[in-house]
Amino acid sequence: MKIYNTLTRKKEDFIPLKQNQVKMYVCGPTVYNLIHIGNARPLVVFDTVRRYMEYRGFEVIYVLNFTDIDDKIIKKAIAEKTDATVISERYITECKKDMAAMNISPATIHPKATEEIAGMLEMIQALIAKNHAYVALDGTVYFRARSFKEYGKLSRKNLDDLRAGNRSIKVTGEEQKEDPLDFVLWKPKKDGEPYWESSWCEGRPGWHIECSVMSKRYLGDEIDIHAGGVDLIFPHHENEIAQSEAANGKPFARYWMHNAFINIESKKMSKSEGNFVTVRDISGKYDLQILRFFILTAHYRSPLNFSAELMEAAKNGLERIINCVANLNHLLKNAQENNAAETEKTHIEQAKAFTAKFEAAMDDDFNTADAISFIFELVKFTNSITNEKSTIEFLTTIKEQIVLLSGICGLITEKKEELLDEEIEALIAKRQEARKAKNFTLSDEIRDELFSKGIILEDTRDGVRYKRA
């Protein structure tokens, strides 16, 4: 398996830190609004990477964070005259609904920035002690970018060029920096903002420190894969590397993966351009499985153009696969003979070649575009060789192959059997018992299981309520 590593700018053989285990961190959305299709691309892409890794036999520890404290969240909370937590929790819930509709599996853990403050304070203190960070007069803590000798190694940016560019930009409140390249680890509160106590000032963390801390806590000092959108390479991921490696004294991540942008009608998505599209907007016109399929029809490192015509093409493409599986189910209902005939055994062997081609495409830096083309070839082959005389063994084997390859891409080819109300109530009761027994791991597992089946739980003063997504 080869992965294109942004750090080295080349494809490399994937060699995990620990045999048969992958530790993977993906930067999640800042939850101040409904997620847009730009947010959706890394969610879909790296969920698919995870699924393929698991198919290949790896245990994947997958961390996807939510940034739940940010200027935009605070601004929205002030506008609505409410608490920032109300805003962030609202949009975390809405994000999870959209993720479920795109068949994105819950991460191993979804940490939130506000629940990791203690770890941030600890890492910042360690950076100060190592002289990689300093405290300004107003209590702001800055990271000394030049103290990390390899600063710029991910983005390939020249420090002197960056510094020259920064000199021409005057940012109010940053006059106290030792160097224009230095970045914030901790900043003082403003009136009306949420804050936390620290030895430097009452304040809140800078953006970059949260991911370093959450990755360290849940995955360790060194991880296999760190991923996100290409827009995060600089400054976010560059700064993560600097502060993590300066604090921990170890390489941060072996492989860095970045997906390209989604454009709208060949233009960059922008609210000012009036072409800003949320996932929820799309769900009003299409099943979000179609959006997932659309995203995977291009290689993740290639720019992707969104348009109504291309979504229609994606809809038709996905329907070809779904219709093939439905036809196989229909034939299975009426099939008489169980064991495959000799000719069918030959066809089964021929069909295996499509799986091999699918795997080769995915092993080549997760080329989902080519992988899906081989699913189409398998579907075409299946349609040409199955009929009312096909045996149960043959139909079942071919169907399982199509469903398996589609499932690796997170594509649902058969309608899920909906949970009955009494089944939901039984799982809720089991979860309540787990909570009483302080078995929070089981409680969270049940919540995630229900969520994956489209059931949203709401803990209220009157008990637990649920609704279907």
Side-chain angles (χ1 to χ4, degrees), residues 200-258:
W200 318 296
C201 66
E202 293 177 338
R204 58 187 174 94
W207 175 32
H208 313 298
I209 193 69
E210 66 178 74
C211 290
S212 288
V213 168
M214 288 185 274
S215 180
K216 178 183 175 72
R217 178 177 178 184
Y218 298 106
L219 298 174
D221 290 350
E222 187 175 0
I223 68 175
D224 294 295
I225 299 172
H226 198 312
V230 69
D231 55 312
L232 299 181
I233 293 175
F234 187 86
H236 186 50
H237 287 168
E238 193 72 72
N239 291 351
E240 277 189 62
I241 289 174
Q243 62 202 11
S244 291
E245 296 188 4
N248 302 327
K250 294 181 179 180
F252 183 23
R254 281 196 172 189
Y255 305 88
W256 288 84
M257 298 179 67
H258 294 92

Side-chain angles (χ1 to χ4, degrees), residues 147-214:
S147 73
F148 182 66
K149 301 303 181 186
E150 294 182 285
Y151 190 82
K153 66 179 178 178
L154 180 69
S155 60
R156 303 290 177 93
K157 290 185 180 293
N158 180 280
L159 290 184
D160 292 325
D161 289 345
L162 283 172
R163 186 173 188 181
N166 273 320
R167 281 199 193 107
S168 63
I169 302 172
K170 292 186 178 180
V171 181
T172 304
E174 295 198 347
E175 298 84 359
Q176 55 193 341
K177 283 185 178 183
E178 293 178 355
D179 188 300
L181 297 180
D182 296 347
F183 58 88
V184 172
L185 300 174
W186 187 265
K187 54 187 174 183
K189 68 176 182 180
K190 296 178 182 176
D191 289 342
E193 288 188 350
Y195 66 90
W196 289 264
E197 299 287 342
S198 80
S199 59
W200 318 296
C201 66
E202 293 177 338
R204 58 187 174 94
W207 175 32
H208 313 298
I209 193 69
E210 66 178 74
C211 290
S212 288
V213 168
M214 288 185 274

Side-chain angles (χ1 to χ4, degrees), residues 269-315:
M269 185 170 62
S270 167
K271 285 185 177 180
S272 61
E273 291 285 337
N275 64 350
F276 186 83
V277 182
T278 68
V279 171
R280 197 64 55 85
D281 291 334
I282 296 169
S283 71
K285 299 178 182 178
Y286 298 98
D287 186 311
L288 289 183
Q289 274 286 288
I290 297 169
L291 177 61
R292 182 183 185 114
F293 182 80
F294 165 74
I295 287 172
L296 295 179
T297 56
H299 189 278
Y300 75 91
R301 288 191 288 111
S302 299
L304 181 58
N305 190 45
F306 177 88
S307 70
E309 291 77 14
L310 291 172
M311 281 295 286
E312 284 297 320
K315 178 182 178 182

Side-chain angles (χ1 to χ4, degrees), residues 427-441:
L427 283 169
I428 289 174
K430 184 179 178 182
R431 177 174 175 265
Q432 291 299 91
E433 288 300 316
R435 286 164 66 90
K436 287 179 183 178
K438 298 189 183 301
N439 187 347
F440 298 113
T441 299

Side-chain angles (χ1 to χ4, degrees), residues 94-105:
E94 297 304 319
C95 178
K96 287 183 175 181
K97 286 181 187 177
D98 288 339
M99 288 170 66
M102 290 185 287
N103 197 29
I104 294 168
S105 301

Side-chain angles (χ1 to χ4, degrees), residues 6 109 324 392:
T6 308
I109 186 164
C324 179
I392 293 172

Side-chain angles (χ1 to χ4, degrees), residues 315-363:
K315 178 182 178 182
N316 294 335
L318 183 56
E319 283 179 354
R320 282 172 57 194
I321 301 171
I322 292 171
N323 289 340
C324 179
V325 173
N327 185 51
L328 290 171
N329 283 330
H330 175 73
L331 292 173
L332 275 166
K333 287 180 181 178
N334 302 304
Q336 300 298 318
E337 296 295 328
N338 185 33
N339 296 326
E342 287 304 313
T343 303
E344 290 179 327
K345 288 178 181 178
T346 300
H347 287 324
I348 288 172
E349 290 303 311
Q350 290 174 324
K352 288 180 181 178
F354 297 111
T355 296
K357 290 178 179 178
F358 175 95
E359 291 174 349
M362 293 297 284
D363 282 342

Side-chain angles (χ1 to χ4, degrees), residues 75-90:
K75 183 178 179 180
K76 190 149 196 167
I78 292 170
E80 294 189 15
K81 297 180 180 179
T82 188
D83 190 79
T85 305
V86 173
I87 302 298
S88 60
E89 288 300 319
R90 177 199 302 165

